[in-house]
Amino acid sequence: MIGRFLDHANQRVERFIRAKRKVIVLLNEQKQVTIHRAVTRGLDSKVPLKPSGISWLGDIPKHWGNIRD
């Protein structure tokens, strides 16, 4: 009886740990998106954008300049 209880409690703890690990992965993804957006678009999301000319970068704020070699 005690063994069954401990098995059940252990399963609940393992499920909880798996769920928290999934949340951590999702939060890390969200953090990376936020960092990317702040670096590539600035902090003000209402600033008008223009094409950067770099395919992987996408649009940049209009007031930013392009430096090309």
Side-chain angles (χ1 to χ4, degrees), residues 38-53:
V39 169
T40 59
R41 294 184 176 215
L43 297 176
D44 186 1
S45 62
K46 296 177 182 156
V47 170
L49 302 175
K50 68 177 180 180
S52 67

Side-chain angles (χ1 to χ4, degrees), residues 14-31:
E14 288 177 355
R15 273 197 316 267
F16 176 78
I17 290 171
R18 277 195 305 272
K20 290 300 174 187
R21 286 185 175 153
K22 287 180 183 180
V23 169
I24 290 169
V25 167
L26 292 172
L27 288 171
N28 281 328
E29 288 175 8
Q30 184 179 20
K31 178 176 75 173

